[in-house]
Amino acid sequence: MSLASTPLIGAGLVALYTLTISAADGITKLIAGGYAAPQLFALSAALVLLLTLGANRLGGQGAVAAGGLRTTCPRAMALRAALTVLACIGFFQAFRLLPFADVFLFIGLMPVIAATLSGPTLGEPLRPSALLGLALGVLGIWCLMPAGLSAAQAGHAWALMAAVTGTGSMLCARYIGRYERNALAQVFYPNLAIFAVMALALPFVWRPMPLADLAWVAGYALCLFAARWLVTVALRLLPAYVATPLMNLQFVWMVVIGYAAFGEVPGAGTITGVTLVIASGLWLVMDDWLPRRAQAQQRA
């Protein structure tokens, strides 16, 4: 992989991530109403663990499973696992207590959090030329959600905690990716932590599931496994403040699915917001790609 092409490949992986995670979110909305969060998370995490072990066995020492499930960064991996669990709990509580629009506003602020933390934690300070891209992304989120936040309440605290811990988990993934290429390990250990925590509550909330719902959970786990593997590889190739705005492409998938599946015609504010989100992601990718291409040309 050439230095110049790295940002473009990373951007493509993030785009695939947004598609798979949007599919997982859709399945969650379909079946989560009848079950408690620990049941859904414990079952899906167990299935993701089985998929990870299977991929590791099938991959051997190939590119997919380079390094197997070993990690050379146990402390950073433990921190990533803990932050992932906190983010899952935070987002579930936020979606339970708040309208989707309010929660998505906090998701849209994750690039700003990543930009703020990337310098002191990873030594990747934000370039001045990237500020405009971030500003476009934040403006696009507010256009998509013009109603803004309602009166502050507990759900907003959960959403803020989830956004901070979720961004922290991504920064850990970026850090670990500097030292090892075994992306499956970064899928395995956070899901092991989710399973361990949620299994503690499982006996108190378990409800029998018909085969159809089990099939949906299996589909959710498959989408989640693909999404987490894709984002781990992407964060090895892209700075976190570039990857997180691209993740706002989830809003684009929401608009497309809403129109195709439910006949929801987007308004002018939605179209403007989607355009700004796309422009923000492209700006940041180009801001990261052009200097790399210049370096590659100088070396050539």
Side-chain angles (χ1 to χ4, degrees):
M1 183 187 306
S2 68
L3 180 67
S5 65
T6 296
L8 301 181
I9 296 173
L13 292 175
V14 172
L16 288 175
Y17 160 80
T18 62
L19 176 59
T20 53
I21 200 67
S22 296
D25 288 341
I27 294 174
T28 301
K29 293 176 185 178
L30 181 66
I31 68 170
Y35 303 98
Q39 182 167 344
L40 178 61
F41 286 147
L43 288 177
S44 61
L47 290 173
V48 171
L49 291 175
L50 291 176
L51 289 170
T52 306
L53 291 171
N56 182 64
R57 179 176 292 275
L58 290 174
Q61 295 302 315
V64 174
L69 298 178
R70 297 185 302 273
T71 178
T72 58
C73 305
R75 293 181 180 178
M77 189 70 78
L79 179 60
R80 170 166 161 74
L83 291 172
T84 301
V85 172
L86 290 175
C88 284
I89 295 172
F91 277 124
F92 178 83
Q93 292 290 347
F95 277 120
R96 187 173 65 87
L97 297 172
L98 295 175
F100 283 155
D102 283 16
V103 181
F104 286 140
L105 282 173
F106 283 94
I107 295 174
L109 292 176
M110 289 177 70
V112 179
I113 300 172
T116 304
L117 298 179
S118 289
T121 60
L122 297 176
E124 295 177 344
L126 188 66
R127 286 192 293 269
S129 56
L131 289 174
L132 178 59
L134 282 174
L136 286 174
V138 173
L139 181 60
I141 298 303
W142 284 96
C143 289
L144 283 165
M145 307 298 176
L149 293 175
S150 57
Q153 53 184 279
H156 295 114
W158 282 110
L160 180 60
M161 184 270 282
V164 173
T165 53
T167 304
S169 177
M170 293 178 184
L171 293 175
C172 288
R174 172 73 172 168
Y175 173 83
I176 296 169
R178 293 176 173 178
Y179 302 99
E180 55 190 45
R181 296 181 59 82
N182 50 336
L184 286 177
Q186 293 209 53
V187 178
F188 181 80
Y189 292 106
N191 278 280
L192 181 62
I194 292 172
F195 175 76
V197 172
M198 298 301 170
L200 294 175
L202 193 58
F204 304 100
V205 299
W206 175 263
R207 290 185 58 189
M209 302 183 75
L211 287 178
D213 285 354
L214 286 173
W216 281 117
V217 171
Y220 170 80
L222 183 61
C223 291
L224 200 62
F225 168 76
R228 289 181 173 166
W229 184 83
L230 287 166
V231 76
T232 297
V233 177
L235 285 167
R236 192 170 66 227
L237 304 177
L238 287 176
Y241 68 81
V242 177
T244 46
L246 285 172
M247 292 175 189
N248 288 334
L249 285 172
Q250 287 177 250
F251 290 105
V252 180
W253 294 120
M254 288 171 56
V255 172
V256 172
I257 292 172
Y259 177 75
F262 306 106
E264 299 174 351
V265 179
T270 300
I271 295 173
T272 302
V274 168
T275 302
L276 289 173
V277 166
I278 294 174
S280 169
L282 291 175
W283 180 284
L284 290 166
V285 170
M286 295 301 293
D287 183 71
D288 192 56
W289 174 62
L290 291 175
R292 292 173 185 259
R293 187 182 67 169
Q295 291 177 14
Q297 289 175 345
Q298 289 176 356
R299 291 178 182 178

